[in-house]
């Protein structure tokens, strides 16, 4: 006597492949959206941190009536210091996909909190380029997306 095995309770290979392809499609689109949101957050973080550091330099210069300098130590890091004999007040290092491109490595602020010489810094974050422009005699700067 032979017993017949009934396999009607499982899924076929074709059904499993269809479900798997739908899941992979959903994951692909959600990863793509997550990646673009992550890039935007990184950009905002770098720009906000740089803005806060410039504001700190200006406030510290005004309060202590001392000259401060922002020195780019590499393409993705900088320090803020009073003099080369003292330890830095602030040290910043960003991720590898953040690059500061500059003509001079130093930006000096006088005791009134304004920049000594006008400067333009190019900032590249994940392939997007920004110009950070410091005007002469102004305490602020502005950012242009290029």
């Amino acid at each position: 006597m032979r017993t017949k095995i009934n396999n009607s309770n499982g899924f076929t290979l074709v059904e499993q492949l269809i479900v798997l392809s739908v899941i992979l499609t959903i994951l692909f689109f959600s990863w793509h959206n997550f990646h673009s949101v992550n890039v935007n957050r990184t950009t905002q973080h770098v720009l906000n941190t740089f803005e806060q550091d410039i504001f700190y330099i200006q406030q510290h210069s005004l309060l202590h009536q001392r000259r401060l300098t922002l020195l780019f130590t590499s393409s993705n890091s900088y320090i803020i210091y009073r003099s080369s004999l003292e330890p830095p007040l602030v040290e910043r290092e960003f991720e590898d996909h953040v690059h500061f491109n500059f003509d001079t490595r130093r930006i000096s602020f006088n005791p009134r909190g304004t920049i000594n010489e006008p400067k333009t810094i190019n900032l590249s974050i994940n392939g997007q380029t920004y110009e950070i422009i410091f005007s002469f005699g102004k305490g602020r700067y502005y950012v242009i997306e290029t």
Side-chain angles (χ1 to χ4, degrees):
M1 176 166 143
R2 279 188 157 175
T3 347
K4 189 174 179 185
I5 300 174
N6 189 0
N7 286 335
S8 64
N9 293 336
F11 295 105
T12 65
L13 180 62
V14 173
E15 291 171 334
Q16 290 178 354
L17 288 176
I18 290 172
V19 169
L20 185 61
S21 65
V22 168
I23 291 172
L24 288 175
T25 304
I26 291 170
L27 286 176
F28 173 75
F29 285 115
S30 64
W31 179 84
H32 181 69
N33 289 338
F34 173 76
H35 180 69
S36 64
V37 167
N38 191 27
V39 166
N40 290 339
R41 281 200 172 257
T42 301
T43 301
Q44 285 305 313
H45 170 70
V46 170
L47 291 174
N48 287 341
T49 302
F50 189 73
E51 180 181 15
Q52 290 172 359
D53 287 342
I54 296 299
F55 187 66
Y56 170 76
I57 290 171
Q58 292 170 337
Q59 292 299 313
H60 192 276
S61 296
L62 285 169
L63 183 63
H64 297 287
Q65 290 297 302
R66 295 204 51 195
R67 176 182 160 164
L68 287 182
T69 303
L70 185 142
L71 173 68
F72 293 99
T73 55
S74 70
S75 66
N76 66 338
S77 64
Y78 58 82
I79 60 172
I80 299 170
Y81 66 94
R82 289 184 196 150
S83 76
S84 57
L85 302 175
E86 296 179 24
L89 298 171
V90 175
E91 296 182 54
R92 291 275 184 244
E93 185 169 355
F94 296 103
E95 298 171 6
D96 291 335
H97 56 272
V98 175
H99 297 284
F100 291 96
N101 302 321
F102 40 84
D103 294 333
T104 59
R105 293 181 55 195
R106 297 179 200 279
I107 300 175
S108 297
F109 292 83
N110 60 33
R112 291 185 315 264
T114 60
I115 193 165
N116 288 334
E117 297 176 22
K119 303 271 188 220
T120 299
I121 301 168
N122 292 320
L123 173 62
S124 175
I125 306 170
N126 291 320
Q128 183 62 42
T129 307
Y130 300 90
E131 280 187 351
I132 302 172
I133 301 170
F134 291 91
S135 301
F136 185 70
K138 300 279 185 179
R140 289 295 185 183
Y141 67 93
Y142 56 96
V143 178
I144 298 174
E145 186 175 344
T146 56

